[in-house]
Amino acid sequence: MRELLMIAIGSAIVNNVVLSQFLGLCPFLGVSKKINTAAGMGGAVIFVLTISSLITSLIYKFVLVATGTEYLQTIVFILVIAALVQLVEMFMKKVLPPLYQALGVYLPLITTNCAVLGVAITNVQENYSILEGVVNGFATAVGFTIAIVLMAGLREKMEYNDVPKAFQGMPIVLLTAMLMSIAFTGFAGII
């Protein structure tokens, strides 16, 4: 149990996928304009990352290793992730149309979100068990959600600030992301 807690804290806070590993920056910068949209994207990423961690771990351990075709892991992982994102997209389009419209092009981009593929590959490289892989996937997605919602909150507040003309738009967003990254680096000594 202690090992699972260490994996969860390490993946969500200490080695935050966005602020420490710099994976998944496209949706982080693109969808973090409003808290509601950022939380919706975070929820979609939590679902996709958790389920893809489970499925890719099962496929890797029981199919790829058993048949000696581990070299196909990247292709298989991409196909699994793409299928899961399609399921999430269809679900959101049917059940949550406003969120689906708000996420726009960024929802299909979860398929190419390097954070999702990075977690699947990390699970293999770290030789995590299936349960440890699922915990790693879930915690990484929670860390992504924390980062994107924090950024969205800061961006909403920045709209009302007097920002110098040279820093308006993306420059101030990148500076804010840099400062958040520095702040999260402070958690490095926890584990």
Side-chain angles (χ1 to χ4, degrees), residues 83-94:
L84 285 170
V85 170
Q86 287 300 313
L87 288 173
V88 170
E89 191 172 2
M90 288 187 302
F91 174 79
M92 285 186 147
K93 190 173 187 177
K94 182 77 174 167

Side-chain angles (χ1 to χ4, degrees), residues 133-149:
V134 171
V135 168
N136 181 45
F138 177 76
T140 299
V142 168
F144 176 87
T145 304
I146 290 168
I148 198 170
V149 168

Side-chain angles (χ1 to χ4, degrees), residues 42-52 84 87-88 141:
V45 170
I46 287 172
F47 177 79
V48 169
L49 250 172
T50 305
I51 301 301
S52 71
L84 285 170
L87 288 173
V88 170

Side-chain angles (χ1 to χ4, degrees), residues 105-140:
V105 72
Y106 293 102
L107 185 58
L109 284 178
I110 295 175
T111 302
T112 59
N113 186 344
C114 53
V116 180
L117 181 59
V119 169
I121 292 173
T122 299
N123 289 343
V124 170
Q125 289 175 342
E126 295 292 330
N127 202 21
Y128 285 151
S129 68
I130 294 170
L131 179 60
E132 289 171 337
V134 171
V135 168
N136 181 45
F138 177 76
T140 299

